[in-house]
Every structure is written in C-alpha cells, then in structure tokens.
Amino acid sequence: MKIKNSQKGQSLIEVLIALAAAVAVVAAIAVTVVTSLSNVDFTKNQNLATQYSGEGLAVIRQLAKNNWTNFTSTYQAPNYCLDKAGVLTVMQGLECNQNVGIFKRQIILKQDDMTECSSNLKIESKVFWSDSRCLEGEVFCHDVSLESCLADINTIKAL
C-alpha cells in the first residue's frame, strides 16, 4: 500500500492545529490563574483595610468614652494619622504616611451640626493602600472608609 503525499502534509497540519489549540488552552488557564491570584490579593487587602478602619473607630470611641471633656479639648484638629500602635498624631501636610504595613490610616473628626450625628462629633476612619492595579503615578488608589457618630455618653444632662 502506498501513502499519498497529500496525507503526509495533512498529518503535519493536524499536529500544528492540535498544538495551537493546546497552547491556547494553557494560555487561557494561565490568565485565569493570574487573575484569580490578583483578585485574592486585592480581597485580602480590602478585608485588612476594613479591619484597620474599624480599629481606628474603636480607638477614637475608647478615647472619647474614657474622658469626653479631655477628648474634645485635646483633639481639636480635624485630621489625624493613626499608626499601628493606636497612636494619634496631627496630620502634617495633605495626607498621612504609610503607617500600618502597606496601608495608611487617617482619622477625620468633624463637628456635625446638621446631618445624621445631630450636633455631635462625626468621625471617619479611612485606610488607603496601593497595588498593581493602581495606574502609574497613582499612589494609594484604593481606600476603605467607615463613619460613626460620637456623643458624650457619660454625662447625664439635666432636663
């Protein structure tokens, strides 16, 4: 039996098509894995940022709860940086430095006369971070922000 020349060429084309399909499948799997790992890393950082933001609120609440009068007289500036040890410092310039690992944590205190805090102190705890998803030159492009209202709960007001 003789094999025709056209069948030899056809086998080579079939092998090349199969190889191309295999490369496409491997490339698709690699892209999926890399994207999944990036998403896992982002989610981990977002969860940590939310935790750090909540810790910031807790630190401020504790300071206010311990001594409201001292708290309101000591913390007059609107913007503070909160480091990993829970130490508040007045923010110098426009923003805090990286102060909790890859994150930076900022506390904003506002007297809230007209909105949801009804004449009490409003606090906002912000946490920023940066990763490979940030555009070039865009530092700390991700953030988590939690807000709360503070009031003097230790003093009973006379009617």
Side-chain angles (χ1 to χ4, degrees):
M1 237 179 155
K2 280 187 162 185
I3 299 177
K4 293 182 180 179
N5 287 339
S6 64
Q7 287 179 339
K8 287 182 182 178
Q10 187 175 2
S11 296
L12 182 59
I13 291 172
E14 289 171 352
V15 168
L16 288 175
I17 290 172
L19 184 61
V23 167
V25 168
V26 169
I29 290 171
V31 167
T32 302
V33 167
V34 168
T35 303
S36 295
L37 289 173
S38 174
N39 288 340
V40 165
D41 194 43
F42 176 80
T43 302
K44 180 190 78 162
N45 287 337
Q46 189 173 34
N47 288 339
L48 275 171
T50 303
Q51 177 184 343
Y52 291 144
S53 189
E55 287 174 3
L57 290 179
V59 165
I60 300 302
R61 279 192 201 112
Q62 191 61 45
L63 287 170
K65 181 181 171 188
N66 287 345
N67 187 334
W68 179 261
T69 306
N70 186 45
F71 175 78
T72 55
S73 63
T74 303
Y75 299 103
Q76 296 289 324
N79 297 316
Y80 293 89
C81 298
L82 183 63
D83 68 12
K84 191 164 185 139
V87 176
L88 272 175
T89 56
V90 175
M91 189 166 66
Q92 303 297 320
L94 299 175
E95 57 187 45
C96 299
N97 294 323
Q98 192 170 319
N99 55 13
V100 184
I102 64 166
F103 304 94
K104 66 177 183 176
R105 187 163 47 181
Q106 177 182 345
I107 303 294
I108 301 166
L109 303 175
K110 303 181 219 182
Q111 192 64 36
D112 196 27
D113 293 330
M114 305 240 218
T115 60
E116 63 271 356
C117 288
S118 61
S119 298
N120 291 309
L121 193 61
K122 182 176 182 179
I123 57 172
E124 184 177 8
S125 177
K126 290 184 160 195
V127 176
F128 303 87
W129 77 98
S130 184
D131 64 13
S132 61
R133 293 180 181 191
C134 295
L135 299 175
E136 189 173 328
E138 193 176 24
V139 181
F140 298 109
C141 66
H142 306 296
D143 69 278
V144 169
S145 180
L146 298 176
E147 296 178 352
S148 185
C149 297
L150 288 179
D152 183 3
I153 62 169
N154 298 322
T155 304
I156 300 172
K157 295 182 180 178
L159 296 175

